[in-house]
Amino acid sequence: MSPMLRRRSRTDGRSPGLRRLIRYGWLLPVGVFVIAGSILVVTYAFASIPLPKDIHPDASAEVFDRNGHLIGTYSNAERRFLIDTTKLPHYVAEGVIASEDRNYFNHGGIDLKGIIRAAWADLTHGQVQQGGSTIAQQYVKNAILQDPERTLLRKIKEAILAIKLEHRYSKEQILGFYLNTIYFGRGAYGIEAAARTYFNEHASKLSLTQAAFLAGIIPAPESYQPDDNPKGARIRRDHVLELMVQQGYISRARADKAEHGPIKAAKASSELARHQEAAYFMEWLRKDFLYPEYGSCLYTCGLKIYTTLDLTMQHAAEDAVSSTLPEKTDPQAALVSMTPTGEVRAFVGGRYFDSVKAARGFDYASDYPGRQAGSAFKPFTLLTAIEQGISTQSRFSGRSPVTITDPACSPPYVVNNFAGEQYGTITLDEATTNSVNTVFAQLIAQLGPDKVAATIAKFGFDRKGTAAEREVTPYCSLALGSLDVTPMEMARAYSGFDAQGKLPPVTPIAYIKNSDGDCVKAFVSVKFDCKDEVKPSISQAADANSTEVLSQTLTHVVQGGTATAANIGRPVAGKTGTTQNHQNAWFAGYIPQLTTVVWMGYPIEAGADKKMGTGDDFIPQMQYCSDTSLCRPVHGQTVVGGLFPAQIWAKYMSTVAATMPIVPFPLPTSQPTKVINSVAPPVAPSQSPHPGKTVTPGPTIAPPPSPHPTPSQTPAPASSPPNVIPTPTAKRRKGEP
């Protein structure tokens, strides 16, 4: 083009759009004719394209607590929630229709007028300004064809299926399909997910200005994010409001009011992916219960999962832990609370309660192998004795140290009380109250460790039916808690005490509904029809009367023994536990309506020569010693089960039990009558039976033949002595307790 012609083109008074229309305007009717003719020609060829009989868009699973409060959702990168769109404010749908398909109620799936109008706008502006697809076509493209290619073949398929869709469903139904599936940016599919993602609201609570914004960003949602492009977002909102005025949906005055001010949307970030209420519970539920059964359906089928968790109790548990251990350098902690029927009410798997990343790491409440329980395990030996008819008034020597020479514990091993504390001849009841190690070492020798191992297995510690199934090997160190256990296992077992010997199944789920609202599986008794009702598998792990005797004995621990910090002014049965060198501290306790177990300890760390003399992994000690990198007292105190764990337990239980009636534990109908007056065992020799080395229990699954508990190095406060046993020296994976 010559310079003169270029100047003329700039000064002839015609806009570029009008010049293009003059030059290419004849193509418009020809193009429309070709498109329409093509549709007619191939309609027969594509008449066999099937429209799915049942349309169920992908939707995220929602998880609720026992009172119907939303805890969170399960989804991949997408968030979807199917709702009844007929119950939305009318302006939500009207804004979408005004913006996306103004002739929605006047066409049968395709809108030729809309196609012509869009083509005209595109041609006169020199770029794509409008789309000609109807709401039905958009739904077919996104939810049925799921084909992003912009080809003539796909457009023809889209048009034919849109027509079929309009013949099968009403306009209201199709609009509902569309609103439940259209993408709004930020990984949100559907109006409900969009409302939650942008405004932390349900779609039923959207304001007019919020609804107009969401309708406006449908064509290019990521381009109109309020934090990245606030001006563009506001322009899109105002454009939709203007269209709603033009089409008679709202008044000018109402539109002017809705246009006032910026769009107050939540900041777009990855916070939703990083944070989740009750994160450890949600991950445990997903990993151990839901995904193994439902697979990817968990993320796409719109399941509604009603759990046994109580968010009020969960918050109380988290508050109890965080207020007791507020420092970043404090040890880890776990808390599990459940009813005598096994319904989980609170679940704390670590101190970072809402961290998805932490929850997907190590869960201190339920992940194997667990930690040694120390004297919190003594009740299983005492219960074995009671079941053998041995009275809790039986008497044993409480002196320390003693050497257990009974062949059942061969070869002999030395047992110490905490800090070498000395007792005279005391009863089993008193030995339990004061957690006297030497008495329980004598007791398991008399009973036979095989009988105690059998009791422990009956209470689920053999992990039967899990990938970690094991044999509870009958060693005498079982009496002092040498077996690795999890807080979840301990809570279930103590719930068995509370349930008079009936060992409950762990039950985190009440029932599950599908996306249509029908109950498909129930794990507890429900008052409505459910397709599959799972009957709980309850085993009688111990005699009811025996557990009633045990519970009465364990109340003395709280009333005047090692767990007075757990006294909340009502009947409480429980037991403290502290392992060698104060590496783990426990309190497991219950009232007739609820069992709660608390554990605390430092995570495992990589060993170094200056700390351990070896390169082995190790657990830091919650006490004072010369090596400050190895020994880390908490808030200036040596930690025992009767200190921080009992305090956490009391804070939580006093809060959640406030609305529960105060009831006593049931009295046993009879008492065991066999009274043992044991001969005092020999005093331990000055030197270990194995000179030159300290003998400690080995790994949980295969303990050594001669475990030799040793005393703690540092005494705890006299009011709360721990019950000390050795910790295994075997290596574990980094990050495991």
Side-chain angles (χ1 to χ4, degrees), residues 71 275-282 309-327 333-337 345-356 359 596-598 647-649 651-653 655-656:
I71 302 173
H275 296 283
Q276 163 64 60
E277 192 165 26
Y280 282 96
F281 174 78
M282 288 287 286
L309 194 82
D310 187 309
L311 274 179
T312 300
M313 297 172 75
Q314 176 71 18
H315 295 155
E318 294 170 356
D319 289 344
V321 172
S322 61
S323 63
T324 306
L325 302 172
E327 304 297 329
L335 181 152
V336 176
S337 186
R345 293 287 187 256
F347 184 102
V348 175
R351 291 178 51 227
Y352 307 111
F353 314 122
D354 66 347
S355 170
V356 173
T596 300
V597 171
V598 177
Q647 291 171 2
I648 292 170
W649 190 96
K651 286 181 182 180
Y652 166 72
M653 289 293 284
T655 299
V656 302

Side-chain angles (χ1 to χ4, degrees), residues 322-388:
S322 61
S323 63
T324 306
L325 302 172
E327 304 297 329
K328 186 176 181 180
T329 55
D330 282 341
Q332 275 291 352
L335 181 152
V336 176
S337 186
M338 66 173 62
T339 68
T341 58
E343 295 182 23
V344 178
R345 293 287 187 256
F347 184 102
V348 175
R351 291 178 51 227
Y352 307 111
F353 314 122
D354 66 347
S355 170
V356 173
K357 180 179 179 180
R360 290 176 179 172
F362 195 86
D363 176 355
Y364 294 93
S366 66
D367 280 356
Y368 300 133
R371 295 279 184 97
Q372 290 186 340
S375 291
F377 225 53
K378 285 176 179 171
F380 299 102
T381 300
L382 180 59
L383 179 60
T384 304
I386 294 169
E387 293 236 278
Q388 296 297 313

Side-chain angles (χ1 to χ4, degrees), residues 132-248:
S133 295
T134 64
I135 282 175
Q137 286 176 280
Q138 290 184 55
Y139 175 73
V140 166
K141 177 182 70 175
N142 294 318
I144 299 176
L145 293 179
Q146 297 182 338
D147 181 4
E149 294 298 322
R150 305 186 69 163
T151 63
L152 179 61
L153 181 62
R154 195 219 70 195
K155 292 298 290 183
I156 293 170
K157 283 185 178 181
E158 180 185 296
I160 293 170
L161 289 178
I163 294 170
K164 289 186 174 185
L165 190 74
E166 293 269 359
H167 278 84
R168 181 180 296 177
Y169 298 99
S170 68
K171 288 286 187 180
E172 288 74 16
Q173 288 175 303
I174 296 170
L175 186 59
F177 296 157
Y178 179 82
L179 289 173
N180 269 321
T181 56
I182 197 66
Y183 183 58
F184 287 92
R186 298 191 182 184
Y189 287 78
I191 191 68
E192 176 69 9
R196 296 189 197 184
T197 301
Y198 285 95
F199 304 112
N200 295 319
E201 285 281 9
H202 289 290
S204 59
K205 303 293 184 181
L206 286 172
S207 67
L208 174 60
T209 188
Q210 291 169 340
F213 161 73
L214 292 176
I217 66 173
I218 288 174
E222 304 298 354
S223 299
Y224 301 109
Q225 292 296 303
D227 43 359
D228 295 332
N229 184 9
K231 181 178 180 181
R234 192 163 55 249
I235 290 172
R236 290 301 301 169
R237 177 199 64 187
D238 295 349
H239 174 65
V240 171
L241 291 169
E242 181 64 30
L243 290 175
M244 293 178 74
V245 172
Q246 293 175 7
Q247 296 173 40

